[in-house]
Amino acid sequence: MDRAIVASALWAMHPAFLDAMLKSGSIEAMIPDSLRNLATAMGGGQAQQAKQADPIREGATVIMPITGTLAPRGLYGATYYNDIGDRIREFAADPKVGAVVLAIRSPGGYVWGCAEAGDAIFEARQSKPIVAVADPYCFSAAHWLATQCSAYYCTTSGEIGSAGVRSGHSDVSGFEDKIGMKTTLIASHPDKIAGHPYGPLSDEDRAEIQASVDESNVQFVAAIARGRGIKAGEVAAIHGSGKTFSARQALASGAIDGISTLREVVAQINTSRSRLALMRRQAAAMEMALAI
């Protein structure tokens, strides 16, 4: 994973999870390549990336796990936005699928790719129920996706929220000074090395990063407003601007539609669909009887 990309990327992720990941990455980046290669060899080869869990079918309902860090394909992540969008569109077009439940356990992830996956969910809900369940946490980019569903639930002990976008900058010049190292960058234009980590962040580069964060946050707010059927100006009061909320707090503010476990939500959907199917069969039988 490219440490420069990680440090300067636009993130929609719970700050505690992100800080832990960035800290781990910074420590790893300081380890000499020879030691890192030795550790990899002793460990049996390259570190394995977490495999995305496959969807599970319960009758006509598909349970689709969304776990870990969310990322576009090509960057490290437990769940890829591309796969979310592709699978949602597939289930939306499948007549054998009556509803999709997103079982979410994610701190969020990259901004890159999130809007596209959210659009796929919002479009799919026009044809069949797409229900999100925070099981037990659904933060930032994952919250973005959940708000695009037909309904949004949180398990009893769960948390949701952490709406917002952040980025950052790493200045490693002090570390290089301590180890007697100095990096010189040569580029075709200053824009090619804007915000580089080998010196302090300039005011101009800081302003560029802030502008990108603000632009992405506007998209985040607009997506929540669309998905939840509220005005953009109401989003901060209901969903916060970075804070997380317990299930009860989220329900009280209107950020979610109810407090239910994943099992309860799936059972409710299957029961409702069974009841609807029975009513349709009864109506069809009545029409046939009247036609005789």
Side-chain angles (χ1 to χ4, degrees):
M1 181 164 52
D2 191 318
R3 302 301 165 191
I5 290 177
V6 170
S8 61
L10 291 172
W11 291 94
M13 190 171 184
H14 188 289
F17 284 86
L18 180 56
D19 289 343
M21 189 177 78
L22 293 179
K23 184 176 182 181
S24 174
S26 296
I27 293 174
E28 182 181 338
M30 293 179 186
I31 300 175
D33 289 340
S34 56
L35 292 180
R36 189 182 299 110
N37 294 337
L38 177 61
T40 299
M42 293 179 66
Q46 295 293 324
Q48 296 296 311
Q49 180 169 310
K51 182 181 182 296
Q52 182 175 344
D54 292 324
I56 302 169
R57 292 203 181 214
E58 284 202 16
T61 301
V62 172
I63 304 170
M64 181 174 160
I66 295 180
T67 60
T69 303
L70 308 180
R73 195 177 293 125
L75 291 175
Y76 181 85
T79 302
Y80 292 136
Y81 290 124
N82 313 68
D83 292 340
I84 294 173
D86 290 344
R87 284 176 167 174
I88 285 292
R89 282 185 284 268
E90 175 187 337
F91 296 140
D94 188 344
K96 295 181 181 179
V97 175
V100 180
V101 176
L102 304 184
I104 303 177
R105 183 175 300 176
S106 170
Y110 291 88
V111 168
W112 301 325
C114 187
E116 292 86 341
D119 288 345
I121 293 171
F122 186 77
E123 291 168 9
R125 89 181 211 187
Q126 312 306 318
S127 59
K128 60 189 60 176
I130 312 292
V131 181
V133 181
D135 183 36
Y137 55 87
C138 180
F139 298 132
S140 217
H143 183 69
W144 183 329
L145 299 184
T147 59
Q148 303 311 294
C149 294
S150 311
Y152 185 5
Y153 295 91
C154 182
T155 193
T156 309
S157 63
E159 284 188 73
I160 62 98
S162 191
V165 179
R166 63 174 276 187
S167 185
H169 174 264
S170 296
D171 180 355
V172 300
S173 58
F175 175 74
E176 287 193 338
D177 289 341
K178 290 182 179 180
I179 62 174
M181 176 179 174
K182 185 174 181 62
T183 299
T184 300
L185 299 177
I186 301 172
S188 57
H189 191 277
D191 287 346
K192 290 293 292 183
I193 54 174
H196 66 77
Y198 305 108
L201 185 66
S202 69
D203 291 340
E204 293 80 4
D205 291 343
R206 176 186 291 274
E208 287 285 343
I209 294 173
Q210 184 66 58
S212 296
V213 167
D214 293 341
E215 181 180 359
S216 294
N217 192 60
V218 168
Q219 287 184 293
F220 198 159
V221 170
I224 293 177
R226 176 188 67 175
R228 299 297 294 173
I230 59 178
K231 297 178 180 179
E234 299 173 320
V235 170
I238 299 173
H239 294 264
S241 52
K243 293 182 179 180
T244 62
F245 304 94
S246 68
R248 292 189 180 278
Q249 290 172 328
L251 181 60
S253 70
I256 60 174
D257 299 298
I259 300 175
S260 294
T261 64
L262 178 62
R263 182 185 297 273
E264 290 169 343
V265 169
V266 173
Q268 181 181 4
I269 290 173
N270 285 340
T271 300
S272 298
R273 290 192 60 78
S274 297
R275 185 181 300 114
L276 179 60
L278 176 60
M279 291 172 63
R280 286 175 175 169
R281 288 196 299 271
Q282 289 174 336
M286 182 66 70
E287 287 182 6
M288 290 180 64
L290 292 173
I292 296 175

